[in-house]
């Protein structure tokens, strides 16, 4: 099953659902796959839909072309018109700016973190700013050897957004996160792999086959068990031990009542490969 969206997104994004895998592709290689507001919001919508779609068991986010995965927000266009205001309202009203951030890139990143299906990023080229955080929000990151990450915000004189401080600090620690934010230096793929930002580092020619292999394995796995593992892991650094153990017990109870759990036990007893259905 496949589709391309109508305007205002058009062919800037594509989605294809096949064999339990939802492939989302940024398709603006001529502008570094920079995202308009319409693209950003559509990806958040699609990822959100994946949680309840029984035809989807894993999501892959990747991009067209060889040069860029995503270079962040498209600052040149593709924006929603401002809402009408009373004639005597000031140009900028307190709360508007922070609301725009929450409803924008934060919503996109949160949709990935909260998705009940595993999400894989296929980083084919430069991932900068929000594009870097889009990739790092994913559960697994596969990166082409020719690609790079860039915390570009400091080069523009702005603070990190798209959940970057929360995500990056958890991946590399406080000191390394500060270094990347303060200097905004390029992080080549080999360095990104060394410091733990990447799960698989492959030649660009092998990126697609690696994504297909990992996504295919996840699409055949016990989807609900993977969801609970994702949920527990994402919460692990934010809650105390007692809460984490309570969450674990509740998660175990939920998963053991799934059909996949029953199939896993049956397959073990019967000494055969398990055939998980995703529920």
């Amino acid at each position: 099953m496949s589709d391309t969206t109508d305007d205002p997104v058009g062919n800037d994004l594509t989605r294809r659902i096949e064999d339990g895998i939802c492939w989302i592709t940024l398709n603006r290689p001529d502008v570094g796959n920079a995202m308009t507001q319409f693209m950003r919001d559509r990806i958040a919508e699609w990822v959100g839909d994946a949680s309840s779609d029984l035809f989807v068991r894993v999501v892959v986010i990747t991009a067209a072309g060889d040069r860029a995965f995503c270079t962040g927000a498209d600052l040149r266009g593709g924006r929603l018109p401002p809402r009408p205001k009373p004639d005597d309202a000031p140009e900028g009203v307190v709360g508007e700016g922070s609301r725009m951030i929450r409803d924008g890139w934060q919503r996109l990143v949160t949709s990935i973190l909260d998705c009940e299906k595993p999400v894989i990023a296929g980083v084919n080229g430069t991932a900068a700013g929000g594009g870097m955080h889009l990739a790092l929000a994913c559960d697994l990151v596969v990166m082409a050897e020719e690609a790079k990450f860039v915390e570009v915000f400091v080069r523009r004189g702005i603070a990190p957004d798209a959940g970057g401080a929360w995500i990056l600090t958890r991946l590399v620690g406080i000191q390394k996160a500060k270094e990347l934010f303060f200097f905004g230096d390029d992080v080549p793929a080999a360095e990104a792999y060394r410091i733990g930002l990447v799960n698989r580092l492959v030649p660009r020619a092998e990126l697609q086959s690696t994504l297909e292999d990992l996504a295919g394995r996840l699409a055949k796995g016990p989807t609900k068990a993977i969801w609970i593992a994702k949920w527990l892991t994402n919460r692990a650094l934010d809650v105390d031990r007692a809460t984490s153990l309570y969450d674990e017990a509740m998660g175990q109870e939920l998963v053991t009542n799934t059909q996949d759990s029953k199939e896993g036990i049956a397959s073990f007893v019967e000494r055969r490969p398990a055939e998980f259905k995703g529920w």
Side-chain angles (χ1 to χ4, degrees), residues 62-85:
T62 188
D66 293 335
R67 187 167 61 90
F69 169 73
C70 177
T71 52
D74 185 349
L75 303 178
R76 293 162 292 190
R79 292 177 174 273
L80 294 166
R83 296 185 66 173
K85 297 179 180 178

Side-chain angles (χ1 to χ4, degrees), residues 126-138:
T126 299
M132 176 175 174
H133 300 162
L134 169 67
L136 297 184
C138 296

Side-chain angles (χ1 to χ4, degrees), residues 85-94 96:
K85 297 179 180 178
D87 292 339
D88 58 347
E91 182 176 347
V93 177
V94 172
E96 287 183 335

Side-chain angles (χ1 to χ4, degrees), residues 24-99:
I24 298 175
T25 304
L26 282 67
N27 190 35
R28 303 182 77 209
D30 54 323
V31 293
N33 288 311
M35 278 206 284
T36 66
Q37 289 185 2
F38 305 110
M39 294 169 64
R40 179 199 67 200
D41 294 346
R42 190 61 54 81
I43 294 176
E45 177 187 329
W46 282 346
V47 173
D49 286 346
S51 286
S52 59
D53 189 341
L54 295 182
F55 290 102
V56 175
R57 297 172 71 180
V58 58
V59 178
V60 180
I61 301 176
T62 188
D66 293 335
R67 187 167 61 90
F69 169 73
C70 177
T71 52
D74 185 349
L75 303 178
R76 293 162 292 190
R79 292 177 174 273
L80 294 166
R83 296 185 66 173
K85 297 179 180 178
D87 292 339
D88 58 347
E91 182 176 347
V93 177
V94 172
E96 287 183 335
S98 60
R99 186 182 305 107

